[in-house]
Amino acid sequence: HFDDQDGLVIAASQGEAWCAGTEHETNVAYRQDCIPRAHFDTFLWSVVTVFQIMTGENWNWIMYSGMAANHWAYAVVFILVIVFGQTLILSLFLSMLMSTFDKVQENLKKKD
């Protein structure tokens, strides 16, 4: 089991709740300094978060936060996004690389 470092629980080392005093605040703008950058609250940040997961940048923190907020089965979504997303990014990168190699090879043949 893991400890959610970003929840509204009292941390033993800090002595106060994360984002103290805003536990029952519903206005998201009021808590803007307390909201982590990777979240699914808006469409724009959802796209950014999915891109962050697909690139592999700190995806495990997002997965653990999602699991703590929802359910352990939430990890299946992350695994699917990682597998299919990274495959998509890899195939796009390789197709661009192969296209560039073909152009360079054609230019070299023209010079010869």
Side-chain angles (χ1 to χ4, degrees):
H1 193 1
F2 61 92
D3 294 327
D4 184 15
Q5 300 299 320
D6 298 314
L8 295 171
V9 295
I10 296 177
S13 62
Q14 296 172 349
E16 65 180 32
W18 179 73
C19 208
T22 62
E23 291 86 358
H24 303 290
E25 184 63 45
T26 58
N27 186 0
V28 175
Y30 180 73
R31 297 185 63 189
Q32 194 64 37
D33 293 335
C34 299
I35 298 172
R37 283 189 288 175
H39 59 81
F40 294 97
D41 292 345
T42 63
F43 179 75
L44 176 64
W45 280 109
S46 298
V47 171
V48 171
T49 303
V50 168
F51 179 76
Q52 180 179 353
I53 294 167
M54 287 190 326
T55 58
E57 179 63 33
N58 208 12
W59 67 270
N60 54 348
W61 178 84
I62 302 168
M63 183 183 70
Y64 288 139
S65 296
M67 287 171 53
N70 294 311
H71 193 262
W72 67 267
Y74 203 60
V76 174
V77 174
F78 282 88
I79 292 170
L80 290 174
V81 168
I82 289 168
V83 168
F84 291 113
Q86 287 185 350
T87 303
L88 176 71
I89 288 175
L90 180 65
S91 65
L92 288 174
F93 172 73
L94 289 177
S95 66
M96 290 183 343
L97 189 64
M98 294 302 290
S99 173
T100 305
F101 281 153
D102 287 341
K103 288 178 185 176
V104 169
Q105 188 175 13
E106 287 176 13
N107 287 340
L108 288 174
K109 284 183 181 179
K110 287 180 183 178
K111 287 183 180 180
D112 290 342

